[in-house]
Amino acid sequence: MEKRYTRRNPNGSYRIPAEGLGEFRIIQHGISIALHGDLVDKLGEYESLLSLREARAYAAKRKQ
């Protein structure tokens, strides 16, 4: 199983401990600020595979 980057907070939101970020950089283009790096690439891979709605539907089917 692949390592998780996120941790669940008691209120249901998520956080990423700084030691799990890997390499990253913040770049500003005019008024737009963007994050680049290991974790951003990982999130992009997930989003390219399926949407959050599709992932939830898949998880619901696996629980049955």
Side-chain angles (χ1 to χ4, degrees), residues 15-44:
R15 70 184 182 282
I16 300 170
E19 63 272 10
L21 287 174
E23 185 177 315
F24 74 98
R25 60 197 177 285
I26 301 171
I27 299 176
Q28 182 172 358
H29 299 282
I31 61 169
S32 176
I33 298 174
L35 297 173
H36 298 261
D38 297 338
L39 199 53
V40 177
D41 292 341
K42 176 73 99 184
L43 176 60

Side-chain angles (χ1 to χ4, degrees), residues 35-55:
L35 297 173
H36 298 261
D38 297 338
L39 199 53
V40 177
D41 292 341
K42 176 73 99 184
L43 176 60
E45 287 181 46
Y46 283 128
E47 289 183 332
S48 292
L49 290 172
L50 70 168
S51 70
L52 187 53
R53 180 180 297 158
E54 292 168 326

